[in-house]
Amino acid sequence: MAEAIVSFAVERLGDLLIQEASFLHGVNDKVAEIQVELRRMKCFLKDADAIQNEDETIRNWVAEIREAAYDAEDTVETFAFKVARRRRSGLQNILKRYACILSEFKALHEVGTEIDAIKNRISSLSTSLQSYNIKSIGEGESSGSRNERQRLLRRSYSHVVDEDTVGVEGNAKILVEQLVQPDKRCSVVSIWGMGGLGKTTLAKKVYHHGAVRRHFDCFAWSSVSQQFNIRAVVKEILFKFMPPSREQRKEIEKMGDNEVLKRVYRIQEEKKCLVILDDVWTTEAWDMLRPAFPLQKAGSKILLTTRNKAVASHADPQGFLYQPKCLTEEESWELLQRRAFHRNDNDPTINNMEEVGKEMARYCGGLPLAVVVLGGLLATNHTLHDWERIRRNIKSYLMRGKDNYKQQDSGVSYVLALSYQDLSYHLKSCFLYLAHFPEDYEIRTKSLVRMWVAEGIISKVGEQTMEDVAEGYLDELIQRCMVQVGRTGSNGRVKTCQLHDLMRDLCLSKAKEENFLEIIGFQQVETFSSSMVTIPALDKVRRRAIYLDQSLPVESVAEARAVSKNKDEDANIYVKLNPENGTPLRSLLIFYPPEEETVHWMLRKLDLKKFTLLRVLSLEKLSLEEKLPKAIGNLVHLKFLSFKHANLLRFPSSIRNLGCIQTLDLRFFGSSGDGPIICSRMNEVIGRMKWLRHLYLPFDLRVGNGKVQWGKLSNLETLKYFDAEQWDIKDLAHLTKLQKLNVMKVKSFKELDAILKPSHPISSNLRSLHLFDVRTKVEEIDLKQLSRCPHLYKLYLRGEISNLPGHSFFPPNLTELILFSSNLKQDPTPILESLLNLTILNLRYDFYIGEEMVFSKNGFPRLKDLMISSHFVKRLKVDKGAMPNLKYLGIFECVSLEMVPEEVKYITTLQTLDVFGMPKDFIRRLQVINGKEGEDFYKVQHVPSIRIFTKSVPSITLIDDEGPFLYVH
């Protein structure tokens, strides 16, 4: 990893010599010299990185060269910043000007001395290379390395199911029988075994099994993990059983722990429920959760996964314990082929590599995760020579794990280390950056790639934009099975990702080893009163993640617990960042627990004035009692700033000085939670941000008479929550790079004429268009203009439409369409079903005021998700062969709909049916009550997941590009 640090330092110094030439006058020769020294050193670092774990002396040498590279970059950037600040201060007084010049000469001398000292350090380190027997390794070569065993943490999401498995079906059949057979009296079924054995994968197969889905009434999946919050786990189960309305959610938040436990307990007494408790580590954890489950008293069951057989036995002495078997050599080879050759059994190279591949598969020790990771590594190495090279290394990595197989799961760590070492230095930095994010965290890929770019760990490649390069890096990490896909968008792009726990363990370990970042966690053990906690700055740390009200693994660099003496005061923790002597932070990310709707933690007196080199600052969900400090305006190197879902007293106008900003997310709320956000000088705030590419405005922003010269933001690609009532859409015509546009309060669709002209660059570049609340009827001729947008893949339109144009007048690459309150008089399906690329169709709230919709044979050939909500539709007719790829069907508040269409039984691809707010008779026809099937049950009995909500209709919120098809609250 030191190779990566030095490589980036070389690139960054080169960039500074070009971009800050006027500010580095006088020291540019010295900067160039140190750049040459670092470039020379880089050739030796690949070998040193690989063998540093074998020798403490070499490990210290690598650490010293890494810190020297960091220091060189910090020194030059700090000097450039100081000079730039003085020259831009606009000093008019001649004495002050002379004082400024003298100060600059002094700073010039100081930085020259510092650079000379760093250069001498590097030269001294270079002379020791020969004595350490460190060799120069060229680009594309690699060297073996050894890594310590990783502590295994198993976490999961129930909706992310790996279909490409081997040897799971037989195991699943055994467990399903234990759960659904009436003569099986055990309440707890436990899957136990070593980490990486596939316990969670097996649990998911059982969870989604058709027989299980038909047998139980309610389902809940909860990842317990090594350290957990009992209330959060039980509350999660409750919400899965009965998704609450906003009022019910508030009521539950006010409940004591015992009340929540009782509520979950009673539901399981009244209904047959299945709860998956994934990754339970200790018997104490089970004892704390035990009061939530009516064991031996009802038809409800628990499926538990654990690494510890003692936990499985303790959970239910009369329960069923099951240890999955490891993969056989044949199964391992079959799985490895699927992963390495992308399921192409006819690939002619398979026969050439079979002997080598089988040998490597044997060294995986039958662990599915090891095979999967190895397959990801082999998938990017396509020749026999590459496989032979990997085989020579894999023996040393896996041999010890194989020998100690029955005692520990050390073998997996070697495979993970091999995958990490095989990464280029760019990918290593990208991978380690993921260590910022908490366990079980779904990472928004858009934010992630923009953070990578802002941090400077992405280099431009050819004509590609840096964000495109970053997305390519992410795709490669996914292909290597080092990053898992969460949700995907309608266009197939990855929207969220996450790390498998084994991979996150490796990531944390490497990040700590390389001093890549610092993690500070605060665990809220009970409700504490107001107190101040100071976070000291650690020397040399470049990145920091702060976890509020959340536990961390013991590997975390720092962990603090905030306790107050007086528990009768406000239940808030006030955290103050305290940079001692100025810390060279590049990234600062603050995280709140995702399940917390009310933030109980606050940052107070956010002291950022010394973080002058900061490039990434995420303050999402932050709650401030005071106005944001003006010092944030001094962060002139900042390129990524997010206040998403934060609560601020007022608009942070001091951000106007952030001239380097690339991503600015201002989707915050006022401190009261209600009322508009006021900013009368909006042009002064964002008008100077010439490098701004992604702008998210507040949800309810009022600017008065404040106009914005949008033409100055010529690099803008994303603009969300543009208020057409306060600004003119025609002013956006200058934003020729605009790709994603979200406009509110559109007076007329014709306002878009200025940017949808055939010759205008926006019409050619536009990818996503959201129009909220179009206040005059949209005519057919208006919608025809969208055919001029060849790359438009997502369209959201809320407002009345006279008629839809023919399918040929829709954007040719449209994959997602949301129509809201369209009040169409003609059935839209004959037109929409001819949109060949459409994968998501969301027809909301009286989109159509007719009584019948007909889905024709071969219509909607690629549609995967369909949601319908209408008070008028009575009949849905589906021809056999319609929607051949449909996976999700949602029927929402179609109060006049008589029944589920007969032909749904022929849609064999359907995986999920959601029914919300429907009449009792409609629901009764779909249910099985006391063993008696409803009249329509035969139509949907093949669907693995059917969710019916009868008591209350949950609120459904459409999420912007960053979210899934829908969220159910």
Side-chain angles (χ1 to χ4, degrees), residues 437-453:
F437 299 94
E439 183 182 10
D440 238 9
Y441 193 88
E442 279 197 289
I443 305 166
R444 298 193 303 273
T445 56
K446 284 183 183 177
S447 297
L448 177 63
V449 299
R450 292 168 188 173
M451 289 178 183
W452 284 350
V453 172

Side-chain angles (χ1 to χ4, degrees), residues 288-396:
M288 286 189 282
L289 291 168
R290 169 66 180 81
F293 306 109
L295 303 183
Q296 307 296 339
K297 294 182 180 179
S300 295
K301 299 288 181 72
I302 297 168
L303 181 61
L304 178 149
T305 73
T306 180
R307 290 178 61 196
N308 192 337
K309 185 178 180 180
V311 174
S313 303
H314 179 76
D316 186 358
Q318 299 178 350
F320 181 76
L321 276 64
Y322 187 74
Q323 182 187 24
K325 295 180 181 179
C326 292
L327 298 176
T328 65
E329 290 184 8
E330 292 74 19
E331 289 171 335
S332 295
W333 171 232
E334 180 184 351
L335 181 57
L336 187 61
Q337 288 182 84
R338 293 188 185 184
R339 296 288 179 163
F341 294 96
H342 307 291
R343 303 185 180 89
N344 185 4
D345 295 331
N346 297 319
D347 193 321
T349 60
I350 292 180
N351 292 332
N352 298 333
M353 300 181 182
E354 182 172 352
E355 183 178 349
V356 178
K358 285 185 175 180
E359 183 178 353
M360 287 190 286
R362 284 195 295 271
Y363 275 101
C364 289
L367 295 180
L369 179 61
V371 178
V372 167
V373 174
L374 176 60
L377 174 64
L378 297 177
T380 58
N381 292 271
H382 306 292
T383 68
L384 180 60
H385 173 76
D386 291 334
W387 280 40
E388 286 282 3
R389 173 177 56 83
I390 294 171
R391 179 188 61 80
R392 288 194 298 270
N393 286 301
I394 200 170
K395 288 184 178 181
S396 61

